[in-house]
Amino acid sequence: LLSRSIANWLLRRRQLSPFGACVNRRGGASAALLTDESAPERHSLDRHVGLLYRPEEADWQAVTRHFCRPELVRLFDTLGQRALMVRRPALEIGERLAGHAGDGRPCLRFVLYGRRGSGKSLQMGHVAAACRRRGWLLVTVHNAHLWMRHSRELHESAHRPGMFDTAGYGCIWLRHFYAMNQEILPGLRVTKELSWNAKESTPAGSSWKEVIDYALARPRYSCAAVQFLIDEIKLGSVPMPTLVCFEVANCLWWHRSGIKNDAIRRTPLQGEEPPWRADITAKQLTLLDAFKQLLDSDWNNGAAVMSVSPQGALFDRLREWMPRKLLGDEGFAYLDPFVPVYVEPYGPAEMSNMLNWYTESGWLTSEAAATDAGRAELAFLSDGNAGELLRIAGEWVTC
Amino acid sequence: MSQLLLGYASRLLGCQSRSGSAATTAAAAAILSQQPVRHKSPLQKVRKRGPFPEWTKTDPDPHLFTRHIPKTDERRTKAVRPPGKYQIFSVHYDPIVNSFAGHFVKCGERDKLRDVFTQMMAEIKHIQMARRNAAPPEEKASIEVDPTRVIHKAVENCSPLLIIKHVFRGGFLYKVPCPLRESESQMRAFKFLRIASNVRGTKEHLYRSLARELVNASNNEGKAVHAKLQLHKTCEENRAYANYRIT
């Protein structure tokens, strides 16, 4: 009798585990899994949280695709269908931004934080897609930490003496910016005269497309073009609100990098001692500094959504994931005050939905994955981390 | 001694479907029908492994606490083999995939290999799903997408039935076709697959080349299966010396 009651207690305890609720397939039909609402700005906190939605083709190609990991993009290509989860952080930011446009309010700053793989970039993608549909201008940066790790072409900057230009990355970013804002850009005009060098300049009143074309034809001036466009945004010459999305913003305050300043081919001046061979810091790169100016709060009619991630951390902060630790003194003082938004791990309902989608779309192929024990094991091994679940669902290997 | 041969022959005939060719197994059985000339000394002790059974799935759950098992329950006294070092009590555990992984481990870094294998199995899924999407409807059902089953088929197709052993006799070195134990045959399959997936330099990641090689082997194509067929061919060529084997 005693052993039976203890066994029952153990069984009940196992059912009350954090992911016990997600073990069974809740609800019969897919209606509980997917929502038909494919427009991100119409998702609401009371109806759509925890459900999956299918992004529209235009949104996907222009915006959301850039915020996804390559593994996720490849998964969607293989399965032939795309489904992203609607989660609380993106909807909360979206609610604040809906009424923020105009009114002369300064730039509102959000910092998304969470463990590596928790889904910060995809939340930013949801916010960006919603704002694009509302007609905002999008300025998004995805690979800033990679710009700091590798750089082959580095030139001394002409428009900002003492700093360095990364011409290749400037060109890539301008192309990306143009592709993202193709509908809005024809209507935008430059209000100041932009002088590239002593002889060449673009007059005031020319379109933004002309500036971008000039910079793509003359890559040497691509970083200068980026700086000029950002100056225009800060002046307020853009009629619509601007959303700035910066992934891995903590790389802006790196004191070291993967680039030595002897990447520039020059002979040392007479009597010059090291540290001309020192690392180039983020403050010395014009492209990064230009985007950092956009993260300041001294301009109107816009908002900035950033994420801080251990993925963009230097060697000494690889285990940290809180904003204060990743940004450091300088970065925190620069961004303060900001709205911190925590991207939490999957709860039981979200985990259950995600596992259901993986099973129904055919990505989980083994019979064990459909059983209760298999689902419980996947939930336990990923520990609610979205990226980890994506990796393990590839196939969780027991070896 | 005839009993041993009977054992080999019955195993060969039993695994006729393994290599997919009745002719191969018949040829192998024919090679082995020659009596060996030299035998091991009967004075050599034959070490027998214990008769202990493995823990089977029909046995009750091993995870319950021992103090809650009644005193008369057979679990308290039943002699079972202890679990292997890397045996995992998971619904998704597969012994062949586990041994396959162990074959690739270097310097004891098995956790590093786990990541490689996760990526490799995802890669197998990508390859097979892309193939299935592109295939006409009548062929779609025959394309296997589950990576575990693909690995099983690949290992089966790469397992040799006979192996060449070198015997020094009368001043000459002969290549003698000999039978294999199942575990040894499986090890040979792993080795063929590993060597076939080696790409020189850093051109390709291991997970990618290994996934490709496994998919090819499951279709009876590729370098690993070719290596096995070469081995079978050499055994066939040296069939005259089969009686030189040392049993």
Side-chain angles (χ1 to χ4, degrees), chain A residues 78 363 367 377 394-395 399, chain B residues 90 92 110 125-126 146 149:
Chain A
T78 301
W363 186 234
E367 302 91 14
E377 200 175 301
E395 203 59 32
C399 64
Chain B
S90 154
H92 196 60
R110 205 177 178 107
K125 273 196 213 175
H126 279 299
D146 187 28
R149 286 197 277 267

Side-chain angles (χ1 to χ4, degrees), chain A residues 61-62 65-66 138 140 142 147 153 167-182 185 208-209 211-219 222 225-226 229 287 291:
Chain A
Q61 292 297 339
R65 172 173 62 103
H66 302 289
L138 289 182
T140 62
H142 306 279
W147 296 345
E153 327 159 351
Y169 295 134
C171 285
I172 292 169
W173 186 84
L174 282 170
R175 249 180 249 131
H176 159 76
F177 176 68
Y178 181 73
M180 197 174 274
N181 294 297
Q182 261 175 344
L185 276 179
W208 280 34
K209 187 175 185 311
V211 176
I212 294 174
D213 285 342
Y214 182 90
L216 290 176
R218 308 280 302 277
S222 59
V226 172
L229 295 181
L287 200 57
F291 291 119

